[in-house]
Every structure is written in C-alpha cells, then in structure tokens.
Amino acid sequence: MRLSIGGVIIRKYVVFALVIVMVLFLFVGLISKKEAHSISNEKENDVRKIAWNYIPKSEIPHIVGSWKDAKVYKRPLRQFNMKQVYIVSFPTNENPSLGDYAIYIDINTKKFLGIGLRD
C-alpha cells in the first residue's frame, strides 16, 4: 500500500507530534529531578544543623565558616556494623593532617552517634 502526497504530510505531523511528546517528557523529568534534589538539600541542611550542635565549644573557633559549609556524606561505617550513617564534615583551619571535623548522625533517627577521630 503506497501513501499519497497526503500520507507524506500525515507522516510529518506524526513525527512532529512524537518530537513534541519526547520534549515534554524530558522537560517533566528535569522538573522532577530538580524537586527531588531540593528535598535532598533540605534534609542535608537539617542534618548539618543537628551535627553543628554536637561540635564542642572549644572546636567551634577552628571551624571554617558555619554549619552551612559542612559536607554531608552517606556511608556504611565499620564501627556501626556497616550501617549507613550520615557523616557531616566541617572544614577546619587547623593542621591539614588532622583532617576535617566529622560528626556521625543516624540516617533514620537523626540522632548523634559520635565524633570522628582526628590524628
């Protein structure tokens, strides 16, 4: 069965409609990803604030910036039986060989678990 000139025009409309649908799916996917990322940032900020409250007062002058400058990682740690925990890492102005100041927070309960060792 051969398509007439009208069939060629219809095919162009079908291709155009498919391109529009694909662009819409891409756009919706980007919006959803952005919303998920902002939710994650809110959770990270909550964890940063919790961890900030557990830094000893004597260490706060050595922290570079504020709680907002901390980095949040999710890692399994041996000392917690390979349980995933948040590691909130605060940069310091002390000797670089000591490393950042790390606070461990439970992922589920958001409770303080401990302070990372610094050599």
Side-chain angles (χ1 to χ4, degrees):
M1 197 165 114
R2 293 186 164 256
L3 295 173
S4 64
I5 298 284
V8 171
I9 293 173
I10 290 174
R11 256 192 287 175
K12 286 182 182 179
Y13 282 122
V14 169
V15 170
F16 181 71
L18 286 174
V19 169
I20 295 293
V21 168
M22 288 175 14
V23 168
L24 287 174
F25 276 119
L26 178 65
F27 184 68
V28 169
L30 290 175
I31 290 173
S32 298
K33 186 175 180 182
K34 184 177 178 183
E35 288 173 359
H37 188 65
S38 65
I39 290 169
S40 175
N41 284 341
E42 287 176 24
K43 284 183 183 178
E44 283 184 7
N45 281 337
D46 290 345
V47 171
R48 284 183 182 103
K49 289 177 189 176
I50 292 166
W52 180 259
N53 292 325
Y54 286 97
I55 296 177
K57 301 272 185 234
S58 62
E59 294 294 326
I60 289 180
H62 302 289
I63 302 294
V64 176
S66 69
W67 64 268
K68 295 176 186 176
D69 300 305
K71 293 180 182 148
V72 179
Y73 305 97
K74 223 189 323 189
R75 301 270 191 284
L77 293 180
R78 215 174 297 130
Q79 63 261 43
F80 301 111
N81 298 321
M82 297 308 287
K83 177 180 172 183
Q84 288 259 347
V85 300
Y86 286 120
I87 303 171
V88 185
S89 177
F90 295 93
T92 67
N93 59 9
E94 291 181 308
N95 184 341
S97 66
L98 291 175
D100 290 348
Y101 204 84
I103 304 286
Y104 304 133
I105 304 291
D106 186 280
I107 287 179
N108 299 318
T109 64
K110 307 293 187 284
K111 290 186 178 182
F112 172 77
L113 295 174
I115 296 174
L117 295 176
R118 299 176 76 204
D119 296 330

